[in-house]
Amino acid sequence: MSPNLAEAAPRCHHCGQTQLRPALGYEQAQRVTSDCKPWRAGGVLALCPACGLVQTVVGPRWQAEAEEIYAAYTIYHQSGGREQPIFAGPAGAAQARSEAIIQALVAHTPMPARGRWLDVGCGNGALLRACGQALPGWTLFGSEVNDKYRGVVEALPGVERLLTGPLAGLPTGFDLISLVHVLEHVPGPQALLRDLAGHLNPGGRLLVEVPDCRQNPFILMVADHCSHFSLGMLRRVVAGAGYKLLHATETWVPKEITLVAQLTPGLSAASEGPCLGESDQVLTGWATLQAIVNQVALLAAQPGFGIFGTSIAATWLDAQTGGRAQFFVDEDPHRVGQEHLGRPILAPATVPAEAKVYLALPPALATRVAQRLRAARPSVELVSP
Ligand SMILES: [Zn+2]
């Protein structure tokens, strides 16, 4: 056992099990923050054989690092605070992620004309903005740990108030509570969901969005995430908190899992079995990443090296090469022309003709993006994971 594991007396933050299976070599790897900045090595990645959760071990060191990351947090700094778009469909049409989530929710779930919505961890209000547009009859609330974005959030149509402070002090009587990219940051995610049930009306809904760590291995390197979910694991955590699952899907938003559940009084917590096969696949992502680093090191030694992407995967891969990317490439018009890590962000059409570009994307997505880019820039050498 590594010295770090012995020191931290690791315990699964979901089920309490102490015999965790660590990912060898992970502690030596540099990481990245969820707001896309390089971060030092030192995390412990492990699988809990009892419940199946792949996790970053939570201890005093992880807590201190998470606090340090949040204190300096700059949401979507690559695009001046504008939410990242997703590029769905074969043509890769751009859409704000929150709009895609709300559109899919409304299409698949009958939504009443009025209701009270609480968005936990609302940031600068990206989801609330999309809610206000799609559901104008709803009264919206956001909650955050501080009031940094109070002015922006409370100016959004439909928003009544930004709530800060501990969960126990928040109002009750909501018809929907959303957690978009929140649950993966929280030690003991099931306990949080149980507490939130006390703030929902009977029949109220829960909307959860998390990264799909089976599709996207780069997410394993995010230092401030403590749970690395697969679809089955997220289902298990939510059902075990006493909710009835309505939708749980990897198809509404690329690289992400969306889950909709309902608080059903009298429903006893369902126990879905541990999905160890899926968890093994998530943990295998660490081996995939090690192979990707070797592949990128060869490319980075050549002239004209650039990286496609400006988010978590690109930031992390650039750090693995010692910052050798001469430029980044992005399809988001709000990012093109800006800088990332002190280097220019180019549009695909302006990538130098003889450049070598690594696609910092999950393998399945990289294939689709490569098809689009080859059409735009046939002379550029594109390398996929
Ligand atoms: Zn566990």
Side-chain angles (χ1 to χ4, degrees):
M1 188 178 280
S2 72
N4 225 6
L5 277 177
E7 206 176 278
R11 182 176 283 274
C12 172
H13 68 82
H14 173 51
C15 78
Q17 161 75 241
T18 52
Q19 303 296 313
L20 304 184
R21 212 174 86 205
L24 299 177
Y26 183 92
E27 278 184 82
Q28 282 77 46
Q30 284 174 296
R31 294 166 291 163
V32 64
T33 63
S34 60
D35 62 339
C36 304
K37 296 167 190 162
W39 191 255
R40 57 186 176 261
V44 180
L45 179 71
L47 186 153
C48 172
C51 72
L53 183 67
V54 177
Q55 56 199 280
T56 300
V57 170
V58 170
R61 180 168 164 182
W62 181 85
Q63 298 274 12
E65 288 193 312
E67 275 173 35
E68 192 184 334
I69 291 168
Y70 300 148
Y73 216 75
T74 43
I75 195 163
Y76 305 124
H77 56 88
Q78 310 95 314
S79 51
R82 224 182 242 104
E83 188 186 21
Q84 74 184 78
I86 58 165
F87 297 88
Q95 184 181 32
R97 175 169 70 190
S98 295
E99 281 171 24
I101 295 170
I102 299 296
Q103 211 173 65
L105 174 75
V106 170
H108 292 93
T109 316
M111 297 289 289
R114 292 176 193 290
R116 280 160 53 89
W117 184 310
L118 172 65
D119 185 34
V120 174
C122 67
N124 63 359
L127 189 82
L128 292 171
R129 181 177 290 112
C131 287
Q133 283 163 3
L135 300 162
W138 281 61
T139 307
L140 311 176
F141 297 80
S143 92
E144 255 307 336
V145 290
N146 59 44
D147 55 9
K148 185 172 171 185
Y149 295 110
R150 180 177 296 283
V152 181
V153 170
E154 292 188 342
L156 293 170
V159 173
E160 184 149 309
R161 202 147 52 94
L162 176 76
L163 306 160
T164 52
L167 185 64
L170 296 186
T172 59
F174 291 103
D175 301 296
L176 194 149
I177 295 180
S178 51
L179 302 130
V180 175
H181 292 277
V182 170
L183 210 57
E184 64 272 28
H185 294 260
V186 181
Q190 199 168 64
L192 171 66
L193 297 177
R194 281 205 193 94
D195 289 346
L196 286 174
H199 298 264
L200 275 172
N201 286 326
R205 308 227 178 100
L206 183 73
L207 168 66
V208 179
E209 186 86 12
V210 297
D212 183 352
C213 298
R214 224 168 20 145
Q215 274 190 60
N216 188 1
F218 293 101
I219 296 296
L220 296 174
M221 304 316 299
V222 178
D224 47 315
H225 287 181
C226 58
S227 296
H228 306 288
F229 291 109
S230 66
L231 181 67
M233 192 64 216
L234 183 66
R235 289 178 59 103
R236 181 170 153 84
V237 167
V238 175
Y243 294 83
K244 180 183 163 197
L245 302 177
L246 302 179
H247 301 281
T249 172
E250 295 160 319
T251 60
W252 287 5
V253 177
K255 300 187 284 178
E256 302 195 354
I257 302 169
T258 315
L259 185 148
V260 184
Q262 189 164 33
L263 186 64
T264 310
L267 181 80
S268 55
S271 65
E272 300 215 350
C275 34
L276 290 172
E278 284 189 13
S279 301
D280 275 328
Q281 288 170 9
V282 172
L283 203 65
T284 302
W286 166 235
T288 306
L289 291 176
Q290 290 169 299
I292 287 175
V293 167
N294 293 334
Q295 192 188 14
V296 172
L298 292 174
L299 201 67
Q302 300 179 41
F305 167 63
I307 296 180
F308 181 91
T310 51
S311 295
I312 284 164
T315 305
W316 181 72
L317 271 181
D318 177 62
Q320 302 310 300
T321 68
R324 296 184 77 158
Q326 291 168 19
F327 56 88
F328 294 91
V329 186
D330 208 301
E331 294 178 295
D332 178 359
H334 300 298
R335 295 190 181 193
V336 169
Q338 314 273 341
E339 287 195 340
H340 184 50
L341 306 170
R343 281 153 282 159
I345 305 174
L346 308 179
T350 61
V351 173
E354 305 305 319
K356 292 164 182 65
V357 174
Y358 193 83
L359 297 166
L361 293 167
L365 198 56
T367 310
R368 291 209 297 278
V369 172
Q371 283 167 359
R372 291 207 296 274
L373 294 185
R374 278 202 183 97
R377 279 320 253 161
S379 67
V380 171
E381 186 184 332
L382 297 171
V383 181
S384 301

